[in-house]
Amino acid sequence: MASAHREGQDNREVIHHNDICVGCGICSDICPTNALNLGPILPIARGIVDMDYIRMDENKCVVCGLCSFACPFNAMEFKINNLAAKKYERISKMGSWDKY
């Protein structure tokens, strides 16, 4: 399990759950800082190599959460102040900015 954490006005954390991940690469494609990289998917899936599908560079990750919202399998978890960001109504309804 890879993760990145930043503290500030809000404590933010991105956590990768390898047991849910299928190695599709959507998260690494959307990452604006190239902090996520796919490992060797086929050898990992076959059990030849023991490592996570995704490698996260904590020094590059800005903990924006784009990867977690893009992941169709919920393998990337984004937390704000230790609460799942997808549960925040304001964040989950991105089309409704006029309310804020």
Side-chain angles (χ1 to χ4, degrees):
M1 178 172 70
S3 68
H5 181 83
R6 298 287 183 269
E7 293 183 15
Q9 183 177 3
D10 292 319
N11 295 324
R12 296 170 172 250
E13 184 176 22
V14 172
I15 305 164
H16 171 252
H17 299 284
N18 199 58
D19 56 327
I20 301 172
C21 183
V22 298
C24 67
I26 293 172
C27 60
S28 62
D29 288 342
I30 201 166
C31 181
T33 61
N34 296 317
L36 301 172
N37 295 297
L38 282 173
I41 301 302
L42 214 48
I44 294 170
R46 291 181 177 170
I48 298 168
V49 177
D50 185 24
M51 63 186 292
D52 288 349
Y53 288 117
I54 296 293
R55 291 172 291 181
M56 183 183 300
D57 186 338
E58 290 181 41
N59 296 319
K60 286 184 177 181
C61 181
V62 295
V63 194
C64 64
L66 286 174
C67 55
S68 72
F69 287 99
C71 180
F73 304 99
N74 293 318
M76 299 297 289
E77 182 179 8
F78 179 48
K79 292 183 176 183
I80 301 173
N81 296 326
N82 212 28
L83 297 171
K86 289 183 179 179
K87 301 221 187 260
Y88 280 92
E89 184 176 340
R90 182 178 68 163
I91 294 172
S92 64
K93 296 180 180 178
M94 290 304 230
S96 303
W97 286 110
D98 56 320
K99 295 179 184 178
Y100 306 103

